[in-house]
Amino acid sequence: MKEFKHHDAKTVEEASALLAEYRGKAAVIAGGSDILGVIKSDIIPNYPEALVNIKTIAGLDSVKVESGVLKIGALTTIEDIAENATIQGGWNVLSEAALSVAAALIRTMGTLGGNLNQSVRCWYYRYPNEMGGRFLCFRKGGALCYAVPGDNRYHSILGGQVCFAVQPGDTSFALSALNATIVTNKRSIPIDNYYVVLGNVLAQDEFVVEVQVPTPAAGTKQAYTKFRYRRAIDWAITSVASCITTSGGTVSDARITLGGVAPIPWRSTEAENVIKGQAITEALAVQAGAAAVKDAFALSDNAYKVQVAKTLVKRAILG
Ligand SMILES: Cc1cc2nc3c(=O)[nH]c(=O)nc-3n(C[C@H](O)[C@H](O)[C@H](O)COP(=O)(O)OP(=O)(O)OC[C@H]3O[C@@H](n4cnc5c(N)ncnc54)[C@H](O)[C@@H]3O)c2cc1C
């Protein structure tokens, strides 16, 4: 590894000031389970001059409910989210998604903020510099997404534009279905507006301090379904997070988010609109699955994801 400075921030204000001082040449470190690998493999040309450790800020690891809003500190570990009885009781799509992350060791190191902001797992993006040089792909300021002419079996089928890597964080899909708000040191951002194709909307001196989640309406059924090759440790090939509210036998509200298929958590308003106002039947669920992939654009090796996504949406709706 090259040399970098390491600052232990004691407060949110101190971390903000440090990030501002480095003007984009510093990065936040929380659990370190992702960023240290990124740095070690030297995959990004703008190697950080400093890491600002936010784990030394007290109070950012709590889980509480205030006025019906679940508030989870950014330093809460993924394991604590998976095991928290309050979250399991009222926001189970999130605890299920958290439990599906990696294995206990990584869940115990990794934090919510880190899971939401981890780098993409694209093998061109992650290619280690010491193995013959890094791929200067579009995400790193180059002109090409190497996955398009290359091996793209794990890449996007929806919303890929300049980069076809998929957003990897399981908790982001669940929080999208739950209509969460990301609270930073500067502002509150609805999760629907947080992710963009090349990452997120955070400014250079901005970081996540808390995630707020409203209480789902009475009659809401939540589920997280994740398809992956290895059940032990694996990111989603495709996943579906769903919150479906029924009253009087018909769907009164729904949020359905697909993971592993797009560079952002992919909210399928198409699938939601198919079921809203309707009584759930198998035929309706099939129709919603088809609507979810209506705009899918498969690359050379990932057409299988279209069928997987269609089926998972159907299963999520049928419960
Ligand atoms: C073998 C393996 C398997 C895995 N499987 C899965 C999986 O199945 N599903 C899944 O979702 N993930 C998976 N992961 C990824 C893992 O969940 C992440 O490494 C972890 O969540 C990152 O959390 P961290 O606190 O260690 O982040 P760090 O490594 O500290 O940071 C990661 C990134 O997030 C940024 N960051 C951290 N905290 C904040 C914050 N508060 N605000 C803004 N930016 C921040 C950092 O600057 C960095 O860019 C896997 C990882 C490994 C190594």
Side-chain angles (χ1 to χ4, degrees):
M1 283 166 112
K2 294 179 202 160
E3 262 186 34
F4 57 86
K5 293 213 169 67
H6 186 273
H7 299 279
D8 287 336
K10 295 284 184 303
T11 61
V12 169
E13 293 71 27
E14 190 188 345
S16 312
L18 280 162
L19 290 169
E21 191 184 313
Y22 280 97
R23 295 167 185 264
K25 292 188 175 156
V28 162
I29 179 168
S33 64
D34 178 42
I35 194 162
L36 291 176
V38 168
I39 291 179
K40 197 169 174 192
S41 297
D42 195 13
I43 63 171
I44 38 177
N46 47 343
Y47 198 91
E49 285 176 13
L51 292 183
V52 177
N53 180 20
I54 58 168
K55 273 255 182 161
T56 38
I57 303 176
L60 289 190
D61 59 354
S62 66
V63 176
K64 57 192 176 205
V65 180
E66 284 177 355
S67 307
V69 177
L70 172 69
K71 298 182 174 177
I72 312 173
L75 291 178
T76 309
T77 66
I78 301 162
E79 184 70 359
D80 283 346
I81 292 172
E83 291 191 345
N84 185 285
T86 304
I87 301 178
Q88 286 172 349
W91 294 267
N92 60 288
V93 62
L94 179 58
S95 52
E96 287 168 26
L99 188 63
S100 81
V101 170
L105 188 65
I106 290 158
R107 291 198 296 270
T108 306
M109 286 299 293
T111 63
L112 178 60
N115 192 257
L116 294 174
N117 296 295
Q118 62 180 291
S119 298
V120 295
R121 305 303 303 190
C122 168
W123 38 39
Y124 298 103
Y125 179 79
R126 292 251 173 189
Y127 194 80
N129 195 25
E130 72 267 19
M131 290 175 65
R134 61 174 81 87
F135 283 88
L136 193 61
C137 66
F138 200 95
R139 191 172 275 268
K140 296 175 193 163
L144 183 68
C145 173
Y146 287 88
V148 174
D151 186 334
N152 47 52
R153 73 187 91 160
Y154 301 131
H155 289 75
S156 298
I157 53 166
L158 285 157
Q161 296 162 18
V162 288
C163 167
F164 285 76
V166 298
Q167 154 59 34
D170 283 295
T171 61
S172 71
F173 314 135
L175 289 168
S176 165
L178 284 164
N179 198 13
T181 297
I182 310 290
V183 181
T184 76
N185 52 331
K186 292 168 173 269
R187 57 189 165 145
S188 294
I189 310 167
I191 195 156
D192 284 350
N193 301 337
Y194 184 73
Y195 289 99
V196 292
V197 169
L198 294 180
N200 58 48
V201 296
L202 293 180
Q204 288 174 353
D205 59 346
E206 193 172 17
F207 61 100
V208 179
V209 295
E210 187 174 85
V211 174
Q212 298 185 350
V213 197
T215 300
T220 302
K221 217 165 149 187
Q222 310 169 34
Y224 189 66
T225 319
K226 177 171 172 179
F227 175 78
R228 53 188 157 171
Y229 288 136
R230 296 175 299 180
R231 280 187 70 82
I233 301 180
D234 227 345
W235 285 267
I237 295 289
T238 301
S239 66
V240 173
S242 57
C243 289
I244 298 172
T245 314
T246 45
S247 70
T250 58
V251 175
S252 51
D253 200 9
R255 284 181 70 99
I256 298 175
T257 299
L258 281 76
V261 294
I264 59 172
W266 190 262
R267 192 159 155 229
S268 180
T269 49
E270 293 85 357
E272 294 167 8
N273 289 338
V274 167
I275 61 171
K276 277 185 193 168
Q278 307 291 322
I280 289 176
T281 60
E282 175 138 13
L284 191 77
V286 169
Q287 204 187 322
V293 294
K294 169 173 75 64
D295 297 324
F297 178 83
L299 301 172
S300 54
D301 304 318
N302 67 2
Y304 73 99
K305 281 193 176 190
V306 177
Q307 183 59 42
V308 176
K310 213 191 274 190
T311 303
L312 290 193
V313 169
K314 180 189 89 175
R315 287 185 190 167
I317 291 168
L318 291 175

